[in-house]
């Protein structure tokens, strides 16, 4: 089986415009919508580390960019409706304008 995944910098688009009490939940929803559209699966799961990274600066100060990897995985449950699900995981933390050398050092 060929592993299908996409990786890149995902922007938490609408979270900067929202009211401050809804920024982190909306950032999670934006990542979920992007993964659903990009990979074509209805079942999208966000990794615990990614969730903690988004909530790391509390509800107000959501990171503007997150380097993440979205992977299609086979669903092992027998009673599952979908054959595959998408898993979104943190690839590298990106906090601002980061040079390529710094990103390579962090990994």
């Amino acid at each position: 089986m060929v592993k299908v995944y996409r990786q890149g910098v995902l922007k938490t688009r609408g979270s900067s415009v929202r009211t401050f009490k809804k920024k982190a939940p909306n950032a999670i929803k934006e990542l979920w919508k992007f993964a659903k559209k990009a990979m074509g699966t209805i079942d999208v799961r966000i990794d615990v580390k990614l969730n903690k990274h988004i909530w790391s600066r509390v509800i107000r100060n959501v990171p503007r960019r997150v380097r993440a990897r979205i992977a299609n995985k086979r669903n092992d449950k027998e009673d599952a409706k979908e054959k595959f699900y998408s898993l979104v995981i943190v690839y590298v933390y990106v906090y601002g304008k980061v040079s390529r050398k710094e990103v390579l050092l962090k990994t």
Side-chain angles (χ1 to χ4, degrees):
M1 183 177 151
V2 177
K3 290 189 176 184
V4 179
Y5 68 89
R6 286 184 68 176
Q7 69 185 33
V9 177
L10 305 177
K11 296 180 181 178
T12 54
R13 288 173 245 182
S15 61
S16 61
V17 184
R18 307 278 183 201
T19 178
F20 74 92
K21 286 291 187 182
K22 296 182 181 179
K23 284 187 178 184
N26 281 320
I28 297 286
K29 287 177 190 173
E30 288 294 326
L31 293 175
W32 184 82
K33 284 180 191 176
F34 179 79
K36 183 177 176 182
K37 185 178 177 183
M39 301 305 276
T41 57
I42 296 171
D43 190 8
V44 176
R45 301 174 190 177
I46 295 178
D47 190 38
V48 177
K49 290 181 182 179
L50 177 60
N51 192 29
K52 284 184 180 181
H53 175 62
I54 289 177
W55 282 89
S56 65
R57 298 196 217 166
V58 196
I59 199 166
R60 300 181 157 195
N61 303 320
V62 178
R64 293 184 183 204
R65 288 179 238 114
V66 178
R67 186 166 297 228
R69 177 180 280 178
I70 308 169
N72 266 1
K73 304 265 184 170
R74 184 174 291 278
N75 210 343
D76 292 335
K77 295 181 182 178
E78 295 177 6
D79 57 339
K81 294 179 182 177
E82 298 288 323
K83 288 183 180 179
F84 296 97
Y85 66 91
S86 295
L87 181 65
V88 185
I89 59 172
V90 175
Y91 189 57
V92 176
Y93 300 123
V94 177
Y95 283 109
K97 293 184 178 179
V98 180
S99 68
R100 184 175 170 84
K101 290 179 185 175
E102 290 180 62
V103 171
L104 292 174
L105 291 174
K106 287 182 183 179
T107 57

